[in-house]
C-alpha cells in the first residue's frame, strides 16, 4: 500500500476500514501485528461516513457469546432550550484512537468485565445531522449483564477522556463548542 503521511484533512477516512472478510476479529488483530501502519484497526475507528450498527455487531459476534449490547449516540433537535440543526465533531485523531484503544484494554482487565469477549467503538467526525449517530459501541459477552455494563462504562469514559469535541449549530445561526465532560490532562 502507499504511505499516508499527508495532512489529516486529506485523509478523513484514514481510520475507517472495509468490512471484515473473515468473521474472526482475532485473525484481523494478528495481521495487524504484522504491519501495524498498513492495516486499519479493527476495534476503534473514526470516520466521516455514516456509522454502521450492523457492521459493529458483526465485529463482536462470536459463538461463545450469549449477549451483544449496543449503544448509538444520536444528534437530538434541542440542547439546553435551543433548537439544534446539526452537530459537528472534531478530534485530535491519533490521540483519540490511542485513548479509545487504551480504554478498551482497561475494560478487558477489569474483573467486573471478565465475561466480556469483544468490544468495538466507532465515532463519527464532521457534520452529524439530527437523528444520525455520532458514536457506536458494541460489546459481546457470555451473559448480558457484563455487556450492558461495559457499554455504559465505555461511553462514560470516552466522554471524559477521549479528545473529541462537539460543536452545536443552532437554528438562530449561533454555535456552542465544547465537550463539557472532557478535561484536558493537566
Amino acid at each position: 500500500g502507499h504511505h499516508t503521511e499527508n495532512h489529516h484533512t486529506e485523509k478523513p477516512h484514514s481510520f475507517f476500514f472495509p468490512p471484515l472478510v473473515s468473521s474472526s476479529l482475532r485473525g484481523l488483530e494478528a495481521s495487524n501485528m504484522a504491519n501495524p501502519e498498513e492495516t486499519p484497526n479493527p476495534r476503534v475507528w473514526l470516520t466521516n461516513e455514516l456509522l454502521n450498527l450492523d457492521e459493529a455487531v458483526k465485529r463482536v459476534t462470536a459463538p461463545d457469546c450469549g449477549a451483544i449490547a449496543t449503544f448509538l449516540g444520536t444528534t437530538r433537535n434541542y440542547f439546553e432550550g435551543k433548537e439544534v440543526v446539526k452537530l459537528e465533531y472534531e478530534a485530535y485523531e491519533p490521540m483519540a484512537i490511542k485513548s479509545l484503544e487504551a480504554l478498551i484494554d482497561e475494560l478487558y482487565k477489569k474483573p467486573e468485565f471478565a465475561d466480556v469477549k469483544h468490544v468495538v467503538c466507532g465515532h463519527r467526525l464532521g457534520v452529524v445531522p439530527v437523528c444520525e449517530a455520532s458514536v457506536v459501541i458494541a460489546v459481546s459477552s457470555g451473559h448480558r449483564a457484563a455487556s450492558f455494563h461495559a457499554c455504559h462504562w465505555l461511553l462514560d469514559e470516552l466522554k471524559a477522556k477521549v479528545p473529541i469535541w462537539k460543536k452545536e449549530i443552532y437554528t438562530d445561526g449561533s454555535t456552542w463548542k465544547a465537550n463539557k465532560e472532557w478535561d484536558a490532562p493537566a
Side-chain angles (χ1 to χ4, degrees):
H2 61 288
H3 199 60
T4 48
E5 271 193 340
N6 318 338
H7 193 251
H8 74 280
T9 52
E10 288 166 33
K11 44 171 196 136
H13 312 308
S14 55
F15 293 111
F16 188 75
F17 49 101
L20 289 178
V21 277
S22 137
S23 62
S24 160
L25 271 176
R26 289 210 167 84
L28 214 105
E29 279 163 3
S31 70
N32 216 19
M33 299 306 172
N35 204 344
E37 47 309 304
E38 299 281 335
T39 313
N41 200 301
R43 299 196 303 184
V44 302
W45 65 98
L46 301 175
T47 179
N48 287 65
E49 306 297 318
L50 282 165
L51 290 171
N52 186 332
L53 180 63
D54 290 343
E55 189 54 44
V57 167
K58 265 184 214 145
R59 283 174 201 169
V60 299
T61 302
D64 56 347
C65 296
I68 295 172
T70 61
F71 175 83
L72 279 179
T74 53
T75 300
R76 64 171 172 263
N77 60 353
Y78 274 88
F79 182 76
E80 295 183 354
K82 294 175 85 170
E83 193 173 354
V84 173
V85 189
K86 60 189 180 182
L87 294 182
E88 213 169 302
Y89 286 89
E90 59 183 64
Y92 175 41
E93 295 188 28
M95 182 70 154
I97 288 286
K98 274 204 184 78
S99 46
L100 273 171
E101 281 287 351
L103 286 177
I104 291 176
D105 289 340
E106 190 185 332
L107 190 156
Y108 283 132
K109 291 189 184 104
K110 288 182 164 297
E112 65 266 39
F113 300 133
D115 192 38
V116 168
K117 309 295 183 197
H118 300 286
V119 181
V120 298
C121 178
H123 206 295
R124 190 160 159 194
L125 300 179
V127 172
V128 183
V130 168
C131 292
E132 290 187 12
S134 54
V135 62
V136 59
I137 295 171
V139 180
S140 59
S141 57
H143 305 86
R144 68 184 181 272
S147 56
F148 278 126
H149 183 188
C151 251
H152 194 177
W153 181 89
L154 185 59
L155 183 72
D156 286 352
E157 292 292 308
L158 180 160
K159 284 180 170 289
K161 295 176 180 168
V162 177
I164 295 174
W165 298 273
K166 174 167 77 167
K167 181 160 77 172
E168 315 257 351
I169 295 103
Y170 302 109
T171 41
D172 63 7
S174 64
T175 59
W176 175 84
K177 186 177 165 181
N179 182 339
K180 288 188 157 180
E181 300 174 68
W182 191 78
D183 295 312

